[in-house]
Amino acid sequence: MNKASDQTITSEISEKLINAIVNGEIAPGSKLSEPKLAQQFNISRGPLREAIRRLEGLNLVYHVPREGVKVVTLELKEIIEIYHVREALEGLAAGLAARNMEQKEIDELHKLLELHEQYIDDNGEYFRQEGDFDFHYKIIQGSKNQLLIKQLCHELYHLVRMFRYQTRKLKSRTQQALIEHKQLVNAIEQRDEQLAELLMRRHISRARENIESKWQENET
Amino acid sequence: MNKASDQTITSEISEKLINAIVNGEIAPGSKLSEPKLAQQFNISRGPLREAIRRLEGLNLVYHVPREGVKVVTLELKEIIEIYHVREALEGLAAGLAARNMEQKEIDELHKLLELHEQYIDDNGEYFRQEGDFDFHYKIIQGSKNQLLIKQLCHELYHLVRMFRYQTRKLKSRTQQALIEHKQLVNAIEQRDEQLAELLMRRHISRARENIESKWQENET
DNA sequence: TATTCATATTTTGTCGACAATAAGGTGTTT
DNA sequence: AAACACCTTATTGTCGACAAAATATGAATA
């Protein structure tokens, strides 16, 4: 179960903190108290501080010297910035995936499309959260660019998950997303790099526009 | 002089280590020994380890649990990955710069172009290293996207500088770069986002192709 | 000479402690 | 009642120490 915790407390605590922040158990804007967390996890402050330094690199918390560490807050401004970066990076990923993905991996994409379709019919829950992530993760992996994979799956996506969790009650555009996903898989299967990049960028760009317009409503 | 060191040893050591790695004082592939570094800097291992965790997030070192931390090595594979990511992110930056840069900032770009031109005439040294970075940094800053600025200026560019340092004897394509920089500033000044993005991507893409072909020569 | 095994040394991961700074609480003055 | 100053408490930044694991050393064997 503890796949990524590499035997060291720092890693283990890193993951726990990431999860706690991403799904709001530790509230956005709140301060991380070292003594409290150390006691809570039953560890000393050494590895805890190292874990926090790691979270800093993931942009989940920020550090004010001699004051402490606070969880980031995601306002519309931040969300737009995240989605702009995501659009650029995942566009690249889709293009590279069209070049480098193996047929076996493309088959798995098709399976995910089926699940997605089923979700819409059944009105299930899976695809509204995890399923979409699975789909995007698989394409990113298909790029075979290790740096890109790290920056997206192990950095930016924590922020995306955090945002999605905060807005989990809002209904997402699952129907339209399925159509766009299908086009995307098609382009990848045709090994059309440029089209794959364009479609992915448009897909994410539309998601951002959707967020922007919905944000207005909920604000007023 | 110590602008970024925010009063804490961890920050100070981080910067020193970054510089030492980027300009090869600590060799690529070599191991970072905690006791030796701690003694060398005259600090305890606590803040040193936190500084190293930070470098991990910058992709300058990687960590093998219970073995130690090693400096990354940049082979052609890594360089290509870096330049692919750079192309995507800096393309975005250029597009946003065309949208968000103030005239004052654009004027500064013109000044850098003049310096660049002068360099070619004088056969000077400045633009072959720092000048080019200044130019790109300024455009990235012009994007006004804080996340993007951090990912490029404070993360990816350390790797780019490290690579450039390793290949500093090789002559760069300064002449051609000037032409491309001029076009780019033009597009930004015209507020043509799409063109600015395209030109930046092509600029970086060509740099990558240049590297790829030269790498072959030096290998054999 | 090369290889294996046992021992000694170094290094990593973790802990608890201390000083300096920041935060919080109390009482006094206006 | 609000503002200020003072004192107490809590937290951060840093250090040195210890155990377990990994590496290096060297002897013994094939």
Side-chain angles (χ1 to χ4, degrees), chain A residues 204-219:
Chain A
I204 295 173
S205 183
R206 283 174 176 164
R208 173 178 48 79
E209 287 163 10
N210 191 250
I211 291 164
E212 288 190 55
S213 65
K214 281 197 177 159
W215 198 284
Q216 314 289 349
E217 299 172 22
N218 276 52
E219 281 292 277

Side-chain angles (χ1 to χ4, degrees), chain A residues 18-30:
Chain A
I18 290 171
N19 288 329
I21 290 173
V22 165
N23 57 223
E25 290 164 34
I26 304 179
S30 66

Side-chain angles (χ1 to χ4, degrees), chain A residues 22 28-29 59-60 71-80 82 158-167 215:
Chain A
V22 165
N59 296 312
L60 287 173
V71 179
V72 296
T73 54
L74 300 180
E75 297 300 325
L76 184 56
K77 174 173 173 289
E78 283 78 36
I79 304 297
I80 291 175
I82 291 167
H158 292 306
L159 290 170
V160 177
R161 295 180 95 96
M162 184 174 169
F163 162 66
R164 288 267 196 98
Y165 191 87
Q166 287 178 197
T167 57
W215 198 284

Side-chain angles (χ1 to χ4, degrees), chain B residues 19 40 46 82 86 102-103 168 202:
Chain B
N19 288 329
Q40 191 173 324
I82 291 167
R86 203 187 146 198
E102 292 170 31
Q103 186 57 45
R168 66 189 127 39
R202 208 167 62 177

Side-chain angles (χ1 to χ4, degrees), chain A:
Chain A
M1 203 61 184
N2 52 350
K3 50 171 183 180
S5 62
D6 54 12
Q7 303 279 35
T8 127
I9 292 185
T10 301
S11 289
E12 195 190 321
I13 301 296
S14 286
E15 285 180 38
K16 286 186 183 169
L17 285 176
I18 290 171
N19 288 329
I21 290 173
V22 165
N23 57 223
E25 290 164 34
I26 304 179
S30 66
K31 185 184 163 184
L32 297 191
S33 161
E34 291 180 12
K36 273 175 196 151
L37 286 173
Q39 190 180 17
Q40 191 173 323
F41 289 117
N42 222 24
I43 56 170
S44 77
R45 281 175 53 227
L48 174 64
R49 282 174 65 93
E50 292 185 26
I52 291 177
R53 289 295 161 273
R54 177 129 175 274
L55 297 214
E56 250 187 285
L58 302 179
N59 296 312
L60 287 173
V61 302
Y62 61 94
H63 181 195
V64 185
R66 317 213 167 255
E67 280 187 26
V69 172
K70 285 197 183 135
V71 179
V72 296
T73 54
L74 300 180
E75 297 300 325
L76 184 56
K77 174 173 173 289
E78 283 78 36
I79 304 297
I80 291 175
E81 291 192 353
I82 291 167
Y83 269 70
H84 275 150
V85 171
R86 203 187 145 198
E87 181 183 329
L89 288 180
E90 260 191 87
L92 169 61
L96 290 175
R99 187 190 305 179
N100 297 326
M101 243 180 166
E102 292 171 30
Q103 186 56 45
K104 192 182 124 200
E105 294 174 281
I106 297 177
D107 293 341
E108 291 171 0
L109 283 182
H110 281 294
K111 282 193 195 118
L112 287 175
L113 285 182
E114 283 175 35
L115 276 176
H116 192 160
E117 200 138 25
Q118 224 173 315
Y119 158 71
I120 292 179
D121 299 344
D122 302 2
N123 227 345
E125 179 65 18
Y126 168 67
F127 225 88
R128 229 195 61 217
Q129 290 294 333
E130 292 310 315
D132 190 55
F133 283 117
D134 288 346
F135 184 82
H136 283 267
Y137 273 50
K138 202 161 279 300
I139 290 178
I140 295 166
Q141 297 289 146
S143 77
K144 306 284 163 69
N145 180 319
Q146 292 309 122
L147 177 61
L148 182 59
I149 292 169
K150 190 177 175 199
Q151 295 217 349
L152 278 172
C153 296
H154 304 325
E155 287 194 39
L156 199 61
Y157 258 70
H158 292 306
L159 290 170
V160 177
R161 295 180 95 96
M162 184 174 169
F163 162 66
R164 288 267 196 98
Y165 191 87
Q166 287 178 197
T167 57
R168 66 193 170 295
K169 52 290 199 112
L170 271 62
K171 79 165 197 293
S172 41
R173 43 196 277 290
T174 330
Q175 188 91 37
Q176 178 61 25
L178 175 59
I179 297 173
E180 294 172 12
H181 282 189
K182 279 182 179 171
Q183 291 181 303
L184 194 41
V185 174
N186 242 311
I188 290 175
E189 200 148 32
Q190 305 295 314
R191 305 300 184 184
D192 190 333
E193 299 180 23
Q194 291 192 338
L195 183 60
E197 169 166 1
L198 184 147
L199 288 172
M200 180 63 95
R201 290 188 64 153
R202 207 167 63 178
H203 177 57
I204 295 173
S205 183
R206 283 174 176 164
R208 173 178 48 79
E209 287 163 10
N210 191 250
I211 291 164
E212 288 190 55
S213 65
K214 281 197 177 159
W215 198 284
Q216 314 289 349
E217 299 172 22
N218 276 52
E219 281 292 277
T220 49

